[in-house]
């Protein structure tokens, strides 16, 4: 009876906590670029405030984002943007954080059966991405992330040939701490693929993305 009467507030509180964690991870990715010598600017503020896009729906023009540049190269850090599959041009998925080529948002008026517009980015404009999960690491979650990378940018799982590493590699950012079995899986996946599986971010998020520790993260 208690759960039934209070399901709305329980759902809203749990979702808000996940949103806050996602926003913190988004900020940490921005910090990563700042600490690596990139110039970062806030864009599209709403009434002089940064509006996070904590939903997969909505027109990106209504939300804020960061533009990043260094040595004449520009890109954007966006939040919850639909990305075209690497394998099929008519299917999409929505990573929590995307590093994109600038001005790459497109609109498809025919995607939905209704008049609602669909906003997306072509796969060729995706540089890298991060998934954020307010969970403890567990096997299915870790293995599923490999599938997402394979669907969107399989080349990012391989060690880059170029030594000019500028961007963070595809990353799974987890709030909870890994147990012994999950730690083994993370170590094994790290040995096989060029990506970051980062856990315990509720406790050590600031440390992981500080100037000393960002050198430990894999780059592309």
């Amino acid at each position: 009876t208690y759960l039934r009467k209070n399901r709305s507030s329980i759902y809203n509180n749990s979702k808000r906590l996940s949103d806050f964690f996602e926003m913190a991870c988004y900020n940490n990715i921005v910090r990563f670029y700042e600490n690596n010598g990139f110039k970062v600017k806030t864009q599209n503020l709403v009434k002089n405030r940064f509006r996070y896009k904590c939903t997969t729906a909505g027109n990106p023009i209504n939300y804020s984002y960061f533009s990043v540049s260094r040595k004449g190269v520009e890109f954007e850090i966006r939040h919850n943007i639909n990305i075209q599959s690497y394998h099929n041009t008519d299917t999409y998925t929505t990573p929590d954080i995307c590093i994109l080529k600038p001005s790459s948002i497109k609109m498809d008026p025919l995607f939905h059966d209704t008049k609602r517009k669909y906003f997306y980015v072509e796969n060729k404009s995706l540089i890298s991405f991060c998934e954020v999960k307010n969970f403890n690491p567990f096997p299915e979650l870790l293995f599923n992330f490999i599938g997402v990378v394979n669907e969107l940018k399989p080349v990012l799982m391989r060690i880059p040939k170029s030594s000019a590493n500028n961007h963070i590699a595809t990353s799974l950012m987890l709030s909870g701490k890994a147990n012994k079995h999950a730690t083994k899986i993370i170590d094994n996946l790290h040995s096989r693929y060029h990506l970051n599986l980062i856990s315990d971010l509720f406790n050590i998020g600031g440390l992981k993305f500080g100037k000393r520790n960002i050198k430990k993260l894999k780059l592309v």
Side-chain angles (χ1 to χ4, degrees):
T1 301
Y2 173 83
L3 292 174
R4 186 171 62 251
K5 288 181 177 179
N6 296 279
R7 63 181 181 271
S8 294
S9 59
I10 293 170
Y11 170 78
N12 289 334
N13 286 334
S14 62
K15 185 179 187 308
R16 177 163 289 190
L17 185 61
S18 294
D19 287 343
F20 284 154
F21 177 62
E22 189 174 301
M23 290 156 63
C25 288
Y26 182 87
N27 293 345
N28 278 328
I29 297 301
V30 175
R31 283 183 62 210
F32 165 85
Y33 284 99
E34 286 181 321
N35 289 336
N36 272 302
F38 288 83
K39 186 177 180 180
V40 175
K41 288 184 179 180
T42 54
Q43 301 287 358
N44 203 34
L45 298 181
V46 180
K47 295 182 180 179
N48 210 33
R49 294 183 180 183
F50 193 94
R51 177 181 286 175
Y52 291 89
K53 190 176 184 294
C54 295
T55 172
T56 57
N59 187 343
I61 200 172
N62 297 324
Y63 299 90
S64 308
Y65 65 95
F66 287 91
S67 63
V68 186
S69 62
R70 188 172 70 180
K71 297 180 180 179
V73 178
E74 288 190 33
F75 55 94
E76 298 172 356
I77 304 175
R78 294 268 189 170
H79 200 191
N80 280 312
I81 300 294
N82 303 313
I83 305 295
Q84 184 184 59
S85 168
Y86 172 83
H87 304 280
N88 304 98
T89 59
D90 59 350
T91 55
Y92 307 84
T93 190
T94 313
D96 297 304
I97 304 165
C98 289
I99 295 91
L100 304 169
K101 294 178 182 179
S103 304
S104 56
I105 305 291
K106 295 184 176 295
M107 188 270 290
D108 182 357
L110 303 177
F111 182 85
H112 295 289
D113 292 332
T114 63
K115 293 182 179 179
R116 187 157 57 100
K117 299 174 181 177
Y118 188 77
F119 297 90
Y120 71 98
V121 168
E122 290 181 340
N123 191 270
K124 64 182 181 181
S125 295
L126 176 67
I127 298 171
S128 188
F129 68 92
C130 304
E131 282 283 2
V132 178
K133 300 298 178 188
N134 184 25
F135 293 123
N136 291 326
F138 58 91
E140 292 80 7
L141 178 62
L142 297 169
F143 293 131
N144 284 345
F145 178 67
I146 303 302
V148 175
V149 181
N150 182 66
E151 187 64 30
L152 288 181
K153 213 76 173 176
V155 67
L156 294 180
M157 289 195 287
R158 300 195 292 268
I159 298 174
K161 295 180 180 179
S162 172
S163 60
N165 294 321
N166 294 317
H167 296 286
I168 189 167
T170 49
S171 302
L172 176 61
M173 307 171 75
L174 299 159
S175 62
K177 192 171 183 176
N179 62 22
K180 186 176 180 180
H181 184 214
T183 299
K184 287 182 179 179
I185 295 173
I186 289 172
D187 291 341
N188 289 333
L189 293 177
H190 275 158
S191 69
R192 275 187 272 162
Y193 305 111
H194 189 75
L195 41 77
N196 300 303
L197 303 171
I198 313 167
S199 61
D200 202 19
L201 286 179
F202 257 152
N203 293 321
I204 57 173
L207 293 175
K208 280 284 186 180
F209 291 89
K211 287 187 177 180
R212 290 184 179 181
N213 290 314
I214 56 172
K215 294 180 181 179
K216 299 176 183 178
L217 296 172
K218 293 180 181 179
L219 309 176
V220 292

